[in-house]
Amino acid sequence: MHFLKISALVMGLGTFSLASAPPASAQGMPPEQIKQILDVTKASWVSFRDWEGQQLIYFTHLEAWKCGIDYVFYGLNDGPLDQMWELDACDPDNPNAVLKEKPYIELPAGSTNSISVQLVFPDGSKSAVETFHYKP
């Protein structure tokens, strides 16, 4: 920070403070920008996979953006959003890393036709409820 002040003085720009910059998340961008990214990439929030007689629903994309999300609520088969996906803790030094051993839920094969997901952001706002359908 001192280097920036000195550089600004040398270049004749005067002094300035980084304290006036908008708050950034661990991804290094403002929370509103993370919300926009999640909105544009909502088709990737979850994905289905059949594996060895089980149906897996992956939350990998949301884990990668966990530093910009407080909570993930979901419901299966058009049911209420009565379950919560536990995101790993945000690591500001490696914000997009997905280190969770199992970034998915395991269900019996063919038991889930859809999953509905809603995100809650650090500012308390919520995403729209997005529904994803299983396509074998």
Side-chain angles (χ1 to χ4, degrees):
M1 176 116 141
H2 294 296
F3 174 76
L4 291 174
K5 284 184 180 178
I6 293 168
S7 296
L9 283 171
V10 169
M11 293 187 293
L13 299 175
T15 60
F16 65 96
S17 172
L18 292 178
S20 62
S25 73
Q27 269 99 349
M29 57 185 74
E32 282 302 314
Q33 190 173 5
I34 293 174
K35 281 193 222 179
Q36 290 172 353
I37 290 168
L38 286 164
D39 185 53
V40 170
T41 61
K42 62 187 163 195
S44 301
W45 285 2
V46 298
S47 60
F48 289 88
R49 180 180 185 201
D50 293 324
W51 181 255
E52 297 183 355
Q54 292 185 311
Q55 188 176 47
L56 309 179
I57 302 176
Y58 283 82
F59 291 84
T60 312
H61 185 75
L62 298 177
E63 283 290 335
W65 290 98
K66 62 189 165 281
C67 293
I69 305 168
D70 270 0
Y71 302 101
V72 177
F73 292 101
Y74 69 93
L76 302 174
N77 295 324
D78 299 319
L81 301 175
D82 60 355
Q83 299 180 67
M84 187 172 82
W85 174 256
E86 292 271 340
L87 293 165
D88 271 348
C90 174
D91 177 357
D93 294 328
N94 202 3
N96 296 103
V98 177
L99 303 175
K100 189 172 274 206
E101 185 178 332
K102 291 184 177 183
Y104 54 85
I105 54 175
E106 300 171 305
L107 302 164
S111 66
T112 306
N113 296 317
S114 66
I115 182 171
S116 297
V117 178
Q118 185 174 45
L119 310 180
V120 179
F121 301 102
D123 66 2
S125 65
K126 298 177 182 178
S127 71
V129 175
E130 299 295 333
T131 301
F132 305 87
H133 297 279
Y134 172 67
K135 296 174 186 158

